[in-house]
Amino acid sequence: MNNSEFKVGIIGAGNMGSAIIKGIIKDKQIPYENIYVGDIDQNKLMEIKNIQKNINISKDNKVVVQNSNLLILCIKPQIFENVAKEISEHIDKNKLLVSIAPGISIKKMMELFPAGTKIIRAMPNTPALVGCGMTAFSANDRVNSNELDTIFSIFSGLGEVEIIDENLMDCVTAISGSSPAYVYMFIEALADGAVLKGMSREKAYKICSQAVMGAAKMVLETENHPGVLKDMVCSPGGTTIEAVYTLEKCGFRAAIIEAVKTCEEKSKQMGR
């Protein structure tokens, strides 16, 4: 089955769900009339409808499930069991189920849904909205290689994709799913420093954001170690090494590592 034949159901039109929906709309792999979106919030549904009128919307999750063969659950872990109970009887072995709920393991989902359900656990991030997302996923043994290829193709339209061992999914939540927030904080802090020195905030955000994007692209495209790239900027006795010294003195690296650690732990707790 090619992507154009899939009927995709998305339950949950919150921040991450909306990013995925808008990314799918922008990518145009799936015909709009084959997309079904469910949410209890009518305003969120209308926002999606206003972007693309041919998309199907419903406040009834069961309608979304019944009309899709690929179901993406973009719901919070706190309500996962309740939604699973609501839709479980409408899930069969012909449907492919993808969940982006942090902390909810494949084992847990296999307990909540009928035996034989094809399950993929995924962790995307919000830059999917602009085609620069990062999605990692793991699957149970019911998912075949063609279905994996389909998921890979759909999410590749939203950015980069990696298949990983499920025991690393909580780590992925910390370094990819949640990390855009850390980066936004870094950009904001850089811009605050520029504003302090007299630059307009508009120019500061543009300059800082482009610098961050360019630095990330250098890591990906040169494949050099980040430390090597850092050293290339740090001239002996220069301005950059002085700034790096200040960051180290203030615990910059330790703060980031601690954030990853606590985020991963929180993700594990949410699935219990």
Side-chain angles (χ1 to χ4, degrees), residues 14-206:
N15 292 335
M16 192 62 249
S18 292
I20 292 174
I21 295 163
K22 292 171 185 176
I24 291 174
I25 291 171
K26 187 175 181 180
D27 187 52
K28 299 181 180 179
Q29 285 193 61
I30 308 295
Y32 301 137
E33 59 271 18
N34 286 2
I35 301 173
Y36 296 78
V37 179
D39 198 286
I40 59 172
D41 190 330
Q42 185 67 24
N43 291 331
K44 290 179 180 177
L45 292 176
M46 290 310 300
E47 180 184 341
I48 299 299
K49 194 73 170 176
N50 288 336
I51 296 171
Q52 176 44 246
K53 65 180 181 180
N54 291 330
I55 285 180
N56 305 281
I57 59 173
S58 178
K59 294 180 71 174
D60 187 343
N61 290 333
K62 294 187 288 294
V63 171
V64 175
V65 177
Q66 290 167 350
N67 285 282
S68 61
N69 48 24
L70 168 59
L71 180 66
I72 305 175
L73 300 180
C74 302
I75 55 179
K76 297 183 184 299
Q78 296 93 328
I79 65 168
F80 194 93
E81 288 195 35
N82 288 339
V83 174
K85 289 176 183 177
E86 177 189 1
I87 66 174
S88 182
E89 65 179 295
H90 303 287
I91 301 292
D92 58 51
K93 64 181 181 180
N94 295 316
K95 293 185 188 293
L96 180 57
L97 189 150
V98 179
S99 167
I100 70 164
I104 306 296
S105 68
I106 290 175
K107 180 181 178 182
K108 179 69 173 178
M109 286 186 270
M110 289 175 69
E111 294 171 356
L112 294 171
F113 294 105
T117 300
K118 302 171 183 178
I119 296 173
I120 291 176
R121 180 181 175 186
M123 179 48 60
N125 62 10
T126 53
L129 180 58
V130 292
C132 289
M134 181 68 238
T135 303
F137 64 86
S138 304
N140 69 356
D141 58 7
R142 300 289 180 174
V143 181
N144 63 44
S145 59
N146 288 334
E147 290 163 336
L148 281 175
D149 288 344
T150 295
I151 294 299
F152 196 98
S153 175
I154 290 172
F155 280 90
S156 289
L158 313 181
E160 295 294 322
V161 180
E162 285 287 340
I163 300 174
I164 65 164
D165 292 336
E166 197 199 354
N167 62 3
L168 293 173
M169 286 299 293
D170 295 306
C171 180
V172 169
T173 298
I175 66 168
S176 177
S178 299
S179 67
Y182 323 155
V183 177
Y184 301 143
M185 291 173 69
F186 176 60
I187 291 171
E188 186 180 31
L190 277 178
D192 283 346
V195 171
L196 178 66
K197 293 301 180 180
M199 185 179 291
S200 73
R201 190 165 291 279
E202 181 183 10
K203 288 186 182 297
Y205 282 143
K206 179 179 180 179

Side-chain angles (χ1 to χ4, degrees), residues 215-228:
K217 195 170 183 179
M218 286 279 287
V219 174
L220 291 171
E221 294 192 2
T222 69
E223 298 185 354
N224 286 330
H225 189 284
V228 171

